[in-house]
Amino acid sequence: MAKKSEKLDLSKVRNIGIIAHIDAGKTTTTERVLYYTGMIHRIGEVHDGSATTDYMEQERERGITITAAAVTAAWRGHQVNVIDTPGHVDFTAEVQRSLRVLDGGVVVFDGVAGVEPQSETVWRQANTYGVPRMCFVNKMDRVGANFQRCVDMIVERLAGKPIVIQIPYGEGEEFNGIIDLISMKLLVYEGDMGNDIKQVDIPEAYLEQAKTRRSEMIERVAENDDFLTEKYLMGEAITDDELLAAMRAATIAGKIQPVLCGSALKNKGVQTMLDRVVDLLPSPLDIPPVTGMHPKTEEHISRGPDNEEPTTALVFKIITDPYVGRLAFFRVYAGVVKAGTMLLNTSKGEKERIGRIVRMFADRREDVEEVQAGDIAAILGLKETFTGDTLASPENPIVLEKISFPEPVIELSIEPNSKADQDKMGLALRRLAEEDPTFKIEVDDKLGQTTIRGMGELHLEIIVDRMMREFGVQATVGRPRVAYRETITRHVRIDTTFKRQTGGSGQYARVVVEFEPLTDEDRATLKPGEDWIFEDAIRGGTIPREFIKPTQNGIRDAMQGGVLAGYPVVGMKAKLVDGAFHDVDSSEMAFKVAGSMCLKEGVQKAGPVLLEPTMKVEVAVPETYAGTIMGDLSSRRGTIMGMDSRGDDSTSIRATVPLGEMFGYATRLRSMTQGRGNFTMEFDRYATAPSHIADEVIKSGR
């Protein structure tokens, strides 16, 4: 029986994401959020595979989060929609699409390691989407934890504006509570689950430090609020309510990021963090109205979080559930989405019937009749709607900006073991690609070979594992290979004519295109996900308007297979400067073919080179192994970018290394450090491959 919806008080809704580097404690923190808000009655742990939000087999076995899990909880009369996102760089798209629909974020940092590579990535993504955030320095109970070092790293590495609103009462094994600088009380968490929170006076040994920190906090908050600045300068007392109101406004405006601390595993600090989520992070009413375009007129439209506005929702994630089929997670920006009604998928121009709507409690679900503006839920049974698609009222259509994703950098071939497996594999890969926009499939009809592409070795390993387990496919998997790219190095002008006479009306198109490499200024104008520019410089109607787009499409399609080794062409500007047409024989198809021919000839003559993906690598090892590791990275054509000493007697080495040199590095690192080293790697940029590498790749034909 679907639950009836009451009118939602949007000021009491918080859509937040828990985001961080792998192993910083996001899932453990989310597990405590669910426990303290009464959603679960027994805390599951990541290390024993019982965490609520890690409900996939692969997540439980590896102790990592792979998919962003959505859970709805209640705290202090507020509805909190929490998304626990992955920290591993291979699943960065999960974070990206979650941030697109969230109003605020809690960035979790490891109290020992501080700011780690994926912390930087998620912080940048949050900057891109303008997501207000607060910081939770976790694992303060670990040996080597250093709260101030974490705060300093947020400034140095992230260019953040942290404002300390809590300090730890002891660090490492001495961590026994939290000093709250707003209430000026020491919070002591008692009982097995930390349910019994005692507020006591701050011990003498910490009082001076707490007063100094509180004074710094008030000064920082007052800088962003004229009323408080005046009170502060006049020496008047500032109340806690005034302080929180000014802090909330500055947090929502992105001027500050409040910093809290605790230990989720030891059940210290999570309830206070929830209090501050409610106090300081935005509700849907605090976020600017969403903007989009009319699908036909391309007129700009904005819609606010109001049930009376025309329905506007964005699908941000697809999950294929083995029992109920496809689940589409969506955020309602305006209007109401009701079960049983018809909405228009404005991204594709297809009508969709809204069947069952469910509110998610990780992998448990509850049917609801409707979802109101500002809320997040999931729909079962949508046929044509996938990640990034907009659902809107058919009478008042709007298309919201799509979510852009990074391109895959690694690929492997996969062959089914039998004819039956072949059919199952096609279905499985299609389903998995529907869920994951960074997973791409390519079938070579000539070779009868399937190539899959993804963000890293772990990403493809999980995909293959899911294909075999969930869909029962038996297949032989090839070795991972690098997804190279091609580009041009000089300017060329190409004049191409496509002419074909086949009896009756023929085909005729002439295009003149100038190709040149992108400059830094050009790159600055690109939207995320774009890697080339097309410029229409036709004057005097030498090519009619209706043939411009087909020419552009012909060039774009031909860019998918370059001239050196068949890899996609990127980093190029194509300027259509001239051409000719025939009143009878010219058609869209003729101009598309001419554009394609022009690109092939242009790349051939413009000094094509092979590009290889270069990765940002960070290796954490005990200090004694630092020299060995740096030597090994250099031997892999790596460039050492810097070293940092970490709080637990280990050293963090930062380098950039070509992806092709990093296959199997995890095993090598373990053997060099007796199993004590670990590393993270994320895509940095494409760089020109040395001639001996390029020759090898070209010789192998891919």
Side-chain angles (χ1 to χ4, degrees), residues 227 404 458 621:
F227 171 68
S404 60
L458 180 64
V621 290

Side-chain angles (χ1 to χ4, degrees), residues 379-391:
I379 303 173
L380 281 158
L382 294 181
K383 302 264 190 307
E384 303 293 335
T385 303
F386 299 107
T387 301
D389 287 354
T390 306
L391 292 171

